[in-house]
Amino acid sequence: MKPKVAFFDFTSCEGCQLDALNLDVGEVLGLLGAVDIVNFREVKTDRSDDYDIAFIEGSITKESEIPRIQAIRAQAKVLVALGACACTGGVNCMKNAYPMEDLLKGVYGECAEYYNTIPARPVSAVVPVDAYIRGCPPTTAEFVNVVKSLLLGKRPDLPNYPVCTECRIAGNVCVFQRGGTCIGPVTRGGCEALCVSSGRFCWGCRGLVDDPNTNSEKDILARYGLTIDQILERFKIYNSYSEVSKCQS
Amino acid sequence: MSELKIKVNQLTRVEGHGNIHLEATDGKLDRVLWEVTESPRFFEWMLKGRNYDDVSTISSRICGICSISHTTASLQATESAFGIKLTEQAWLLRKLLYDAEMLESHVLHVLFLIAPDFLGADSVIPLVATHGDIIVMAVRLKKLAYNLAEVLAGRKTHPITPIVGGWSKLPDVDELKAIRERLEKAMEDMDTMVAVVKSVAPMIPDFQRPTEYIALKDPKEYSFITGKIASSDGGTFDLVDYKQITNEFCVPHSSSKFAKHSRDSYMVGALSRFNLNSEQLLPRAKKAAKELGMKAPIHNPFFISVAQTVETVHAMEDAINIIDKLLARGLHEEEVKVKPRAGRGVGIVEAPRGLLIHDYTYDEAGNIVSANCIIPTGQNHLSIQKDFDALAPTILEKPEDEIRHTLEMLVRAYDPCISCSVH
Ligand code: SF4
Ligand code: SF4
């Protein structure tokens, strides 16, 4: 029996779902041969509530999304958070800096009362998550990697070292050396330092490494006379939900 | 008394969350409603206080399908606020990246999301068995568009290298050459795509509802990211005057704002662009339009995807031309200098789904004071509703499944980007 796979989207840009499936012809056919996609609103009309693996995209930002994610959790044997919004809360959590009424009034004016919103949160803040595919968006390679592990019944083995490690392997000149700031020292790798390699800096889209206070890249910060706090402002773009407070504690 | 109630919860094969309700009694329509239920996201507030260097990174996250459009509109708004002019090379690269966006988005919509409606499938998945060649081609085209974007911008979804005033990294010339070869080969795929669309064209519902068509217009070219706002009812508008067109307002059943100009609704997107600018299509695209029997003006919204097909050919051709130009003039490192200043800037582009507006006001340090974004699908919601109002009464005698399917197809024809419209 092929495992039954479902994709669900919550509050997000829906880029991860489509990006995950940005596969080559062979990979598409391979995937379709290995699993049954039974629920995928963005590309498929028929849906079934009988599935084994659920990929969740997006963060939870509405009261009505809570029972929905709970029901999915109750059904799925394996629940995977796909992309930054699901994993860390992502950019959606930037709104949490404002009182919800101010937001509604600010955007919808007199019609504010028609709509509702709650502080945005990652999926793991509502239900237990079994695996994370990080990034905004995640790389296709990582998606394929995680799916393969899950199909073999294994826990996906994903990097827990900082982006800096991959950045050095890529041969980049460090952003700090160029006079800029970069969140690479405290961000979990796995993207091969894509943004730095593209001439920019790391925004921290893959979330925090497990122990940012002791990770080996502290020396980069020390060398440039910076503390973790000083680079956190930009880090809040993706990680304002809880990671920042975890880092400061 | 016979009662008919149709409810589609979370319409499928579109981006984002929307519902359809129809109620009729004794063959008479009581109401038909297009309802947008997407969660509000508040990007305009997230942008407040953000430095210009992070702004397009944040605003591209409004949409995963058209993130290049958001990036471009955002950069152009900031550049206009700071009075920055791009170099010719930077422009060519930006236009080339834009072609990748059009290509990917249109192929996805026409061949993955719409095709199942015409081929009697629930999704593209069973089509792998029944229409394998076409699906293999569709995957190949989508991947090509993705790779073109990747060569230029680091990745397609949420591009990295386009920055205020230019590029953080230039593409590799050999990679560009390799992509050019693939594009040239893919022109054959374009013939197949046109033939496929032509073969299903007789199944397109015959429905006409003339409305106002709005798109960018540029005297020099079929416009995607340049020009002024133009209306099929006459007149052009400067970009900064966009509010004269959009006039946003709220309705209780939609978390996206609606927009309205002089008539009961207006349409933006591929068909609007075709209706306003088809004379300026590149030769192969013109030929494709002829092959598909397309002659402006077309008042049938179901033809949006046919217009998208023509634009796919155009974008492919345009991309080849731009690469040739770039290779002929050679790529040169250019220093990007940005001097922030206080002021307002409006950036407007043709996203695959139509007019996309970013309007920013900056303080002198280059931090955003206020932001306003207007999304193509937000402008099309009212057009979808008005089409429903006109179409539904004419199909009420049909079997319930067919009514439901026709209404679903109508919304899908617009290629709505609903989560984008609720930004
Ligand atoms: S700080 Fe940034 S640029 Fe420097 S090594 Fe780490 S990831 Fe690379
Ligand atoms: S470099 Fe940083 S921001 Fe860029 S993809 Fe990697 S983790 Fe995300």
Side-chain angles (χ1 to χ4, degrees):
Chain A
M1 266 286 270
K2 293 201 262 183
K4 298 191 191 78
V5 171
F7 287 82
F8 297 100
D9 40 54
F10 287 78
T11 303
S12 66
C13 79
E14 294 191 15
C16 297
Q17 291 177 67
L18 288 180
D19 229 46
L21 296 186
N22 176 49
L23 307 167
D24 288 315
V25 173
E27 291 169 325
V28 175
L29 300 179
L31 182 71
L32 291 177
V35 302
D36 262 335
I37 298 181
V38 299
N39 205 322
F40 195 164
R41 188 196 50 77
E42 204 172 347
V43 295
K44 184 178 185 315
T45 296
D46 296 347
R47 3 186 176 194
S48 148
D49 284 326
D50 174 18
Y51 44 84
D52 309 304
I53 304 176
F55 288 95
I56 310 295
E57 186 196 52
S59 35
I60 308 300
T61 76
K62 252 199 329 199
E63 212 60 78
S64 61
E65 291 175 336
I66 295 175
R68 190 173 157 233
I69 188 73
Q70 285 167 338
I72 295 168
R73 175 69 272 186
Q75 168 63 34
K77 295 193 186 82
V78 180
L79 186 144
V80 187
L82 173 64
C85 294
C87 291
T88 68
V91 293
N92 294 307
C93 297
M94 279 193 272
K95 78 168 193 194
N96 297 358
Y98 301 95
M100 297 301 126
E101 287 119 66
D102 290 5
L103 287 172
L104 285 165
K105 284 221 182 76
V107 170
Y108 294 108
E110 283 165 16
C111 319
E113 67 198 64
Y114 300 158
Y115 314 109
N116 68 68
T117 186
I118 56 173
R121 61 202 70 180
V123 173
S124 61
V126 186
V127 296
V129 169
D130 301 312
Y132 295 87
I133 309 182
R134 291 168 183 275
C136 178
T139 66
T140 308
E142 192 157 313
F143 175 77
V144 171
N145 191 351
V146 170
V147 172
K148 277 188 187 152
S149 302
L150 293 174
L151 293 181
L152 294 170
K154 290 198 307 198
R155 240 116 277 218
D157 180 21
L158 298 176
N160 188 20
Y161 44 76
V163 170
C164 292
T165 308
E166 294 177 331
C167 191
R168 292 216 195 82
I169 296 171
N172 296 321
V173 177
C174 178
V175 172
F176 288 111
Q177 216 170 314
R178 292 189 260 136
T181 49
C182 180
I183 317 295
V186 292
T187 301
R188 196 181 286 262
C191 62
E192 295 174 9
L194 184 60
C195 300
V196 189
S197 303
S198 303
R200 305 230 63 202
F201 43 80
C202 175
W203 280 270
C205 80
R206 300 173 63 84
L208 217 52
V209 276
D210 277 345
D211 197 348
N213 279 312
T214 59
N215 88 65
S216 60
E217 306 306 324
K218 249 167 82 179
D219 56 321
I220 291 198
L221 298 175
R223 200 174 320 139
Y224 295 97
L226 289 164
T227 62
I228 290 177
D229 285 3
Q230 280 173 300
I231 60 167
L232 285 180
E233 194 45 41
R234 184 173 268 147
F235 197 66
K236 284 183 188 160
I237 292 176
Y238 284 106
N239 299 281
S240 57
Y241 180 70
S242 65
E243 305 269 9
V244 173
S245 48
K246 186 165 108 196
C247 190
Q248 279 164 333
S249 64
Chain B
M1 207 169 73
S2 82
E3 280 194 347
L4 174 69
K5 273 199 170 88
I6 293 178
K7 180 151 190 191
V8 178
N9 266 331
Q10 295 203 2
L11 176 66
T12 59
R13 282 189 275 130
V14 295
E15 203 246 2
H17 303 91
N19 303 335
I20 300 170
H21 299 270
L22 178 143
E23 281 165 30
T25 322
D26 294 329
K28 225 181 118 280
L29 184 71
D30 297 319
R31 64 169 200 156
V32 56
L33 192 69
W34 169 234
E35 182 188 49
V36 177
T37 59
E38 191 72 33
S39 319
R41 295 189 296 155
F42 307 105
F43 268 87
E44 285 133 339
W45 282 61
M46 292 179 202
L47 287 170
K48 276 182 204 265
R50 289 288 163 189
N51 184 260
Y52 73 89
D53 209 16
D54 289 332
V55 164
S56 71
T57 301
I58 297 170
S59 60
S60 87
R61 268 71 188 176
I62 290 175
C63 185
I65 320 290
C66 47
S67 58
I68 292 174
S69 303
H70 282 280
T71 301
T72 311
S74 174
L75 294 175
Q76 293 185 185
T78 302
E79 285 155 2
S80 149
F82 296 170
I84 295 172
K85 295 252 172 308
L86 285 192
T87 64
E88 193 199 348
Q89 172 176 289
W91 258 119
L92 287 171
L93 290 168
R94 199 171 275 181
K95 285 185 174 176
L96 182 57
L97 180 62
Y98 217 82
D99 285 329
E101 170 98 320
M102 280 293 168
L103 214 53
E104 209 242 4
S105 183
H106 283 355
V107 165
L108 173 70
H109 186 240
V110 175
L111 295 176
F112 290 82
L113 304 183
I114 288 284
D117 275 331
F118 291 96
L119 301 173
D122 92 295
S123 77
V124 71
I125 300 168
L127 297 180
V128 174
T130 56
H131 297 75
D133 290 354
I134 298 171
I135 301 310
V136 166
M137 177 189 83
V139 172
R140 181 167 62 224
L141 282 172
K142 205 169 136 356
K143 192 80 188 181
L144 169 57
Y146 196 100
N147 291 150
L148 172 58
E150 215 166 21
V151 166
L152 293 163
R155 63 182 168 214
K156 159 76 181 63
T157 305
H158 307 320
I160 305 162
T161 59
I163 55 174
V164 175
W167 295 81
S168 68
K169 189 182 169 198
L170 294 178
D172 179 88
V173 171
D174 291 332
E175 285 182 19
L176 218 46
K177 282 185 186 152
I179 286 275
R180 195 211 175 279
E181 243 169 69
R182 282 168 67 194
L183 285 164
E184 192 62 58
K185 275 211 196 89
M187 286 311 303
E188 285 168 34
D189 287 340
M190 288 297 95
D191 295 340
T192 313
M193 183 169 168
V194 169
V196 169
V197 172
K198 193 179 172 186
S199 72
V200 298
M203 292 158 68
I204 295 176
D206 178 20
F207 167 67
Q208 310 281 330
R209 190 183 71 89
T211 188
E212 182 181 9
Y213 300 93
I214 288 182
L216 285 180
K217 196 168 185 63
D218 183 331
K220 292 195 290 297
E221 63 192 55
Y222 189 92
S223 173
F224 285 151
I225 62 173
T226 58
K228 290 185 174 186
I229 306 169
S231 159
S232 59
D233 286 357
T236 53
F237 300 78
D238 284 331
L239 300 189
V240 288
D241 296 329
Y242 71 87
K243 282 188 180 165
Q244 288 183 26
I245 298 275
T246 54
N247 304 299
E248 281 187 314
F249 64 99
C250 295
V251 291
H253 57 277
S254 164
S255 46
S256 165
K257 289 177 188 168
F258 280 33
K260 193 173 158 109
H261 186 225
S262 54
R263 298 201 199 188
D264 60 352
S265 72
Y266 68 88
M267 185 199 276
V268 295
L271 191 60
S272 289
R273 291 191 289 263
F274 181 86
N275 280 345
L276 269 85
N277 301 326
S278 60
E279 287 302 317
Q280 291 160 295
L281 285 164
L282 290 170
R284 286 172 169 183
K286 261 196 188 144
K287 203 172 135 246
K290 207 166 160 212
E291 179 75 22
L292 290 162
M294 295 277 286
K295 203 170 166 310
I298 293 171
H299 300 300
N300 181 347
F302 289 98
F303 271 76
I304 293 169
S305 26
V306 186
Q308 288 178 324
T309 306
V310 172
E311 283 191 343
T312 305
V313 180
H314 176 87
M316 185 87 78
E317 246 179 312
D318 193 51
I320 294 174
N321 293 347
I322 294 178
I323 295 179
D324 286 345
K325 240 189 233 168
L326 283 167
L327 293 176
R329 69 199 290 291
L331 285 168
H332 308 281
E333 289 295 338
E334 295 175 328
E335 206 194 332
V336 179
K337 281 210 199 89
V338 179
K339 245 179 70 210
R341 68 180 191 203
R344 178 182 173 213
V346 175
I348 306 192
V349 300
E350 283 290 334
R353 295 152 193 83
L355 212 63
L356 167 65
I357 301 160
H358 282 231
D359 174 1
Y360 304 147
T361 302
Y362 279 100
D363 65 14
E364 60 281 5
N367 296 322
I368 288 209
V369 178
S370 67
N372 186 28
C373 303
I374 298 188
I375 311 295
T377 297
Q379 296 163 77
N380 277 336
H381 283 316
L382 192 54
S383 192
I384 294 173
Q385 178 62 50
K386 294 295 165 189
D387 283 351
F388 269 9
D389 295 342
L391 176 64
T394 68
I395 54 173
L396 283 180
E397 307 86 85
K398 310 246 163 145
E400 191 177 322
D401 272 354
E402 200 179 321
I403 300 172
R404 175 185 294 114
H405 189 231
T406 308
L407 295 178
E408 288 186 358
M409 273 175 70
L410 189 271
V411 180
R412 255 182 230 126
Y414 277 84
D415 191 7
C417 214
I418 304 171
S419 42
C420 195
S421 75
V422 187
H423 49 285

